[in-house]
Structures are given as structure tokens and as C-alpha cells.
């Protein structure tokens, strides 16, 4: 086989592990392998590593160490936040039927969690629509609030179209509402796609719970975390040893925790603002070149309130999965929201929420840049993309 | 996700393109996923004067499975009598490709329907003339 250039532009799906992260993790597999709950020196060494990691993460979110919980990733964090809170409130107030509000563009880890609660009759759920540009309107959210509303969950950055949601504004609005109502509304955000690019200081955002994940930030897969504001009580999802205040029992994943903390530390240390500008410049050039070279292109999502690494296109008269396959043959990794690629045969719920017709969603392509992309990657990508779109349009009956 | 044979047909589609002066043209769409397929046939006769599909071409706007099954169908139908070609089963095309993921089977049905539509068009044209 001819070796082709490899260009990874699917950083919203997952990122490579930064070599500095890997290096920090390695000692915790073979030499410092202790169980962080053991009393002996092996255990103490592991405990120290977990404590240090927790401190680094707490610094990033500007919260206290005790407010950081470790999970297996953002899926678990979202489930723990939503199910944990609802179950706790139901136990505390028997007979109480809680109401939740989520945006219609949440990740499935949130959407399926709330759907499962609703399906079991454990909560009522309202879905707040977004604008055609993919941003939640705070007024719409406020209008959905009821006397029994206990939780609002809105993601910080959307994983498909990269739009940044007005978390700070929602946080302030909920705080104001809470001053006047007997039933407190808790505010959760899924910040999985935001850590690399956005201010995540929790008091600044006004959130009570915040989910994050290692593998979107150049850390390992299978580790993530939940910020849980002190005083907020959750029912655990599962039961076992007494780690993490019984809220998330299970032996500490020490190497993963060290990797997660190192990855988070590197976001700050690597000078986020400069890195954001670098990525944004690459992304903007990519969009400009695509628009110049290819006709029939639509851009999805707000262009300003947007993560610097995301571009989401529609190529009219082209199907997204075919495009992904052709590009993959040329060593390029991107993704699509086409119905054909979904398994459920439904186009992406995010593109649908924008009001995008299914035949347009059919031709969607998500490009998500990252730390290791350079201009040469973008040049190669646009050349190959232009060729692939031309080829598919030539095959089309339209 | 796709078998090697599927990928081969996707990357190197057989009988792809338009046909001038086709005897029958069928265009079908899958309203669920949005795939669209157009099949062109040229009808001839075999030694027993039975109508056969002498030539067949396709144009497809669709996913990997839609393109690969279009291509596979044209190979399977070419040279067959019309009646034989119509007997190519919905799932047979996918089988011939070494199988398709469960969620993709609906895309393979499109090729079957496309050929049926092209034959119907051919028969209608013939009755008119
Ligand atoms: C916004 C968002 N939330 C949650 C997840 C799930 O994260 P994890 O893979 O860590 O469970 C992802 C990634 O797929 C995501 O993009
Ligand atoms: Zn399809």
C-alpha cells in the first residue's frame, strides 16, 4: 500500500495523548502502582499523586480540591450529575416530581440521561430550542422554568457545530431566579468541549456542576471528572468502597487521574490565548479557502460565538459519509452528521435543531482542529476536499 | 465498518455515469436518509429474442453503502434477461458485497428499487411506441 500523508482533523471526537501527559502517567503503572486508599507507603505515594492532581484541576476551575470528583469520562459525569441530583431530591422529598430543562443540542450523554429519567416517570423534561445559529436564548430558557424546576443543563461548547453557549449569563439568571423561589434550581454544564478554549472558572460561570473528560484535551480516554459545588448533594450511581465520599466509589484510577491533571495543567501552561489565536487563524483560513475553492457551501453555527477549532460545513449535492470515506482514503480524519452515518437513520439532532433540512444535513462535514495541526495540514485537506466534493458531485444524479 | 468488497465498489464504482439514449431510466430516493439513485438501462435481446439488460449505468448521491450497492447491482444485472434481473433480491445485493452493517441495509434496498423503476419506465416507453 502506498503510504499517504495523515491529517487528523477530528479533535472533537478525541485527541491524541500529549507526550508530556503520557510521560507523567507512566510511573503510575509499574512502579508507583499502589492503591490510593492503602495505608502503606505504596498507597501513600498514590494518594499524594491523586491529591496533587486534584489540586491542579481545582486551580484550573478556581474551586476547592474537595469539589473535584473523578469519573470514567464525561458520559458518566453527566449521568452522575443529572441522575444523582434527581434521585437525591426525590429521596429527600418523597412524592415530589422534579422538572428539568436542557437545550435541544446537548450531547447524547445528557439527552439520553434525561430521556431515561422521563421514561421512568422520575422527572419531567423541557427541551429549549436554539436559534438558527445554534445558540440558546436565555429568555426561552427562563420561560420554561416552572415551580418544580430543579435543574438546568446546558452545554458550554457544542461538539458538532462548536457554538459557545451563554453559560455565564444563564448562571447569573438562575442565581437571580433562585433568590425569589423556594425550590432552588441547580445549574449543570457539560464543558467537555470547552476546556481547551474557554474560561472554565466555576464561580465566574455560576454553575453548580460541571462535566469534563480527559480524551478531548490531549489526556487519556476513560477518565473524566465532575465539579460538584460544596453543599450540593448527589445520590451515587453505583455503590461500593467508600472512595470519593461514597459519591463515586471505586479504586482511584491513579495513572488516569495524573494524566487528566497534567492535560489540564498544559492547557493553562501552554498559553491558552496564543494557542486559541493560532488555531482560530488556521480555521478561518480553512473556511475562506473552502469557500473560495468549492461552490454550494453552507456554514453551520454562529461564526462568532464559536470555539476556535470548529468548522461545520454543508456541501450541497454531496453525502457526508461518502465524503468522510473518500477523505479517509487520503489519510484525512473528519466527521459528518449525515443520517446515513448515524445508525439511527436520523440526521444529527443538532443540525435538525438549527432548522437545517434533512437533505442539507445529508451533506454536512465537521472539521475540528487541534494542538498538533499546522498550515500544511490545512492546505492538504482543502486540496483533497475539493477533489472529493467534485468527484461525488459528478457521480450524483442531481 | 465496511467489508473490503464494499470499499472496492465504493472507491472504484463499476458502470458509473450517465447513459445517452437509454431505454429506461428510474430514479428513486430514500426519504429517510436522503440518498438518491438513478439507474439507466439499455435493453437488447438474447439469442431467444428475450429482452435482456444489454447495458446499465448508475448515478448516486448517497453514502458508501448506497454507492457500493448501486455499483454491485449494475454488475449483477448486466447481461441478465429483464425477468432474471428483477429477481435479484433486496438482500442479495448486500450479500454479494459480503454483507453490510445492519443499519445500512435500507441503503441497499434503493438499488433494487432503482432497477425496478428503470424497467417500469422501459415498459411504459415501449407501450407508448
Ligand atoms: C459535549 C460532550 N459531552 C460528552 C461527551 C462524552 O464524553 P466521554 O467520551 O468522556 O464519555 C462528549 C464526547 O463524545 C462530548 O463531546
Ligand atoms: Zn445511505
Amino acid at each position: 500500500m502506498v503510504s499517504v500523508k495523515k491529517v487528523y482533523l477530528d479533535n472533537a471526537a478525541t485527541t491524541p495523548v500529549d507526550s508530556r501527559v503520557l510521560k507523567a502517567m507512566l510511573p503510575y503503572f509499574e512502579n508507583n502502582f499502589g492503591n490510593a486508599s492503602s495505608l502503606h507507603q505504596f498507597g501513600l505515594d498514590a494518594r499524594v499523586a491523586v491529591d496533587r492532581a486534584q489540586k491542579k484541576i481545582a486551580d484550573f476551575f478556581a474551586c476547592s480540591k474537595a469539589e473535584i470528583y473523578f469519573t470514567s469520562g464525561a458520559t458518566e459525569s453527566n449521568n452522575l450529575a443529572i441522575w444523582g441530583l434527581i434521585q437525591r431530591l426525590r429521596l429527600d422529598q418523597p412524592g415530589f416530581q422534579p422538572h428539568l430543562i436542557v437545550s435541544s443540542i446537548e450531547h447524547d450523554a445528557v439527552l439520553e440521561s434525561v430521556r431515561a429519567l422521563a421514561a421512568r416517570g422520575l422527572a419531567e423534561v423541557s427541551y429549549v430550542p436554539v436559534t438558527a445559529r445554534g445558540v440558546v436564548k436565555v429568555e426561552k430558557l427562563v420561560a420554561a422554568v416552572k415551580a418544580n424546576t430543579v435543574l438546568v443543563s446546558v452545554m458550554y461548547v457544542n461538539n458538532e457545530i462548536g457554538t459557545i453557549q451563554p453559560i455565564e449569563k444563564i448562571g447569573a439568571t438562575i442565581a437571580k431566579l433562585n433568590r425569589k423561589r423556594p425550590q432552588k434550581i441547580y445549574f449543570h454544564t457539560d464543558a467537555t468541549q470547552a476546556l481547551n478554549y474557554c474560561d472554565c472558572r466555576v464561580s465566574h460561570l455560576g454553575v453548580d456542576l460541571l462535566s469534563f473528560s480527559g480524551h478531548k484535551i490531549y489526556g487519556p480516554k476513560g477518565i473524566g471528572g465532575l465539579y460538584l459545588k460544596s453543599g450540593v448533594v448527589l445520590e451515587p450511581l453505583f455503590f461500593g468502597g467508600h472512595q470519593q465520599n461514597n459519591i463515586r466509589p471505586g479504586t482511584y484510577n491513579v495513572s488516569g487521574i495524573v494524566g487528566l491533571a497534567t492535560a489540564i495543567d498544559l492547557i493553562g501552561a501552554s498559553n491558552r490565548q496564543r494557542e486559541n489565536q493560532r488555531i482560530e487563524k488556521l480555521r478561518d483560513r480553512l473556511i475562506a479557502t473552502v469557500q473560495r475553492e468549492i461552490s454550494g457551501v453552507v456554514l453551520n453555527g454562529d461564526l462568532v460565538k464559536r470555539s476556535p477549532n470548529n468548522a461545520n460545513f454543508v456541501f450541497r449535492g454531496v453525502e457526508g459519509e461518502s465524503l468522510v470515506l473518500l477523505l479517509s482514503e487520503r489519510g484525512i480524519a473528519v466527521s459528518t452528521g449525515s443520517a446515513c452515518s448515524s445508525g439511527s437513520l436520523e440526521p444529527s439532532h443538532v443540525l435538525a435543531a438549527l432548522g437545517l433540512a434533512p437533505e442539507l444535513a445529508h451533506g454536512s462535514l465537521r472539521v475540528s482542529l487541534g494542538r498538533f495541526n499546522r498550515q500544511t495540514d490545512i492546505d492538504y485537506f482543502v486540496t483533497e476536499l475539493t477533489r472529493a466534493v467534485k468527484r461525488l458531485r459528478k457521480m450524483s444524479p442531481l | 465498518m465496511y467489508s473490503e468488497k464494499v470499499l472496492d465498489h465504493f472507491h472504484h464504482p463499476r458502470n458509473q455515469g450517465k447513459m445517452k439514449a437509454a431505454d429506461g431510466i428510474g430514479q428513486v430516493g430514500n426519504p429517510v436518509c436522503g440518498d438518491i439513485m438513478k439507474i439507466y438501462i439499455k435493453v437488447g435481446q438474447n439469442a431467444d429474442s428475450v429482452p435482456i439488460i444489454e447495458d446499465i449505468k448508475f448515478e448516486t448521491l448517497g453514502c458508501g453503502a448506497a454507492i457500493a450497492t448501486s455499483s454491485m447491482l449494475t454488475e449483477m444485472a448486466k447481461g441478465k434477461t429483464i425477468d432474471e434481473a428483477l429477481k435479484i433480491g433486496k438482500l442479495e445485493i448486500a450479500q454479494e458485497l459480503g454483507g453490510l452493517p445492519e443499519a445500512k441495509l435500507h441503503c441497499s434496498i434503493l438499488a433494487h428499487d432503482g432497477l425496478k423503476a428503470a424497467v417500469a419506465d422501459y415498459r411504459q416507453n415501449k407501450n407508448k411506441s
Side-chain angles (χ1 to χ4, degrees), chain A residues 296 298 300 313-318 320 338 347 351 355-365:
Chain A
V298 180
N300 297 316
F313 301 100
V314 164
F315 298 100
R316 289 177 190 275
V318 168
S338 160
L351 299 180
L356 209 68
E359 66 269 22
L360 284 183
H362 200 225
S364 71
L365 195 78

Side-chain angles (χ1 to χ4, degrees), chain A residues 78-384:
Chain A
N78 289 340
N79 275 268
L80 177 59
I82 294 166
W83 274 74
L85 187 72
I86 296 303
Q87 305 247 65
R88 186 69 249 164
L89 293 174
R90 289 184 65 98
L91 287 170
D92 287 347
Q93 306 172 56
F96 175 65
Q97 181 65 358
H99 170 247
L100 333 171
I101 302 172
V102 300
S103 88
S104 55
I105 59 167
E106 294 302 305
H107 188 272
D108 277 342
V110 165
L111 283 183
E112 293 296 336
S113 283
V114 299
R115 277 189 201 131
L117 280 172
R120 287 160 180 75
L122 298 174
E124 297 166 37
V125 183
S126 297
Y127 301 87
V128 176
V130 293
T131 64
R133 292 181 167 184
V135 180
V136 171
K137 272 221 159 96
V138 182
E139 310 87 85
K140 289 249 165 94
L141 202 147
V142 171
V145 170
K146 304 192 207 180
N148 60 337
T149 303
V150 297
L151 175 65
V152 169
S153 181
V154 175
M155 71 199 318
Y156 199 165
V157 170
N158 181 268
N159 47 300
E160 287 185 43
I161 53 175
T163 49
I164 300 175
Q165 304 304 321
I167 299 304
E168 216 185 304
K169 203 168 153 201
I170 298 171
T173 306
I174 291 175
K176 217 167 169 188
L177 289 175
N178 276 340
R179 271 180 233 131
K180 287 182 281 185
R181 35 183 291 133
Q183 174 58 59
K184 178 180 160 74
I185 303 172
Y186 294 89
F187 182 28
H188 166 249
T189 187
D190 176 355
T192 306
Q193 297 285 349
L195 265 65
N196 287 324
Y197 307 108
C198 301
D199 186 345
C200 289
R201 289 171 299 162
V202 288
S203 54
H204 180 74
L205 296 175
V207 294
D208 300 298
L209 309 103
L210 179 148
S211 303
F212 54 101
S213 182
H215 74 101
K216 314 281 188 185
I217 56 170
Y218 313 96
K221 294 170 181 57
I223 185 81
L226 179 68
Y227 156 75
L228 180 64
K229 192 175 182 172
S230 84
V232 182
V233 190
L234 298 185
E235 188 63 9
L237 293 181
F238 41 85
F239 305 85
H242 303 287
Q243 299 90 347
Q244 309 203 67
N245 296 329
N246 294 320
I247 286 175
R248 207 291 191 171
T251 300
Y252 288 92
N253 173 0
V254 181
S255 60
I257 288 168
V258 168
L260 178 66
T262 310
I264 285 182
D265 213 24
L266 284 172
I267 296 171
S270 65
N271 195 341
R272 182 152 71 184
Q273 206 176 343
R274 213 173 55 200
E275 174 65 355
N276 281 3
Q277 282 168 0
R278 183 189 75 83
I279 290 184
E280 187 163 39
K281 220 160 128 187
L282 286 179
R283 192 271 319 268
D284 288 349
R285 263 189 249 145
L286 184 153
I287 291 179
T289 329
V290 165
Q291 285 181 315
R292 197 182 65 221
E293 298 293 325
I294 305 175
S295 63
V297 180
V298 180
L299 280 167
N300 297 316
D302 198 286
L303 292 179
V304 179
K305 291 173 194 150
R306 189 188 197 94
S307 166
N309 77 321
N310 172 292
N312 191 300
F313 301 100
V314 164
F315 298 100
R316 289 177 190 275
V318 168
E319 192 280 326
E321 190 206 81
S322 287
L323 200 50
V324 168
L325 288 174
L326 279 187
L327 290 170
S328 169
E329 186 73 0
R330 305 296 299 159
I332 295 165
V334 286
S335 74
T336 174
S338 160
C340 284
S341 72
S342 74
S344 67
L345 295 186
E346 305 257 335
S348 131
H349 69 276
V350 176
L351 299 180
L354 305 183
L356 209 68
E359 66 269 22
L360 284 183
H362 200 225
S364 71
L365 195 78
R366 177 185 72 182
V367 184
S368 48
L369 284 68
R371 185 176 289 169
F372 302 109
N373 291 127
R374 300 291 178 263
Q375 185 61 44
T376 52
D377 298 335
I378 307 306
D379 296 342
Y380 178 72
F381 167 70
V382 178
T383 306
E384 293 299 330

Side-chain angles (χ1 to χ4, degrees), chain A residues 340 362, chain B residues 33 35 62-63 65-66 104 106-107:
Chain A
C340 284
H362 200 225
Chain B
C33 71
D35 291 347
C63 60
K104 287 293 185 176
H106 79 285
C107 303

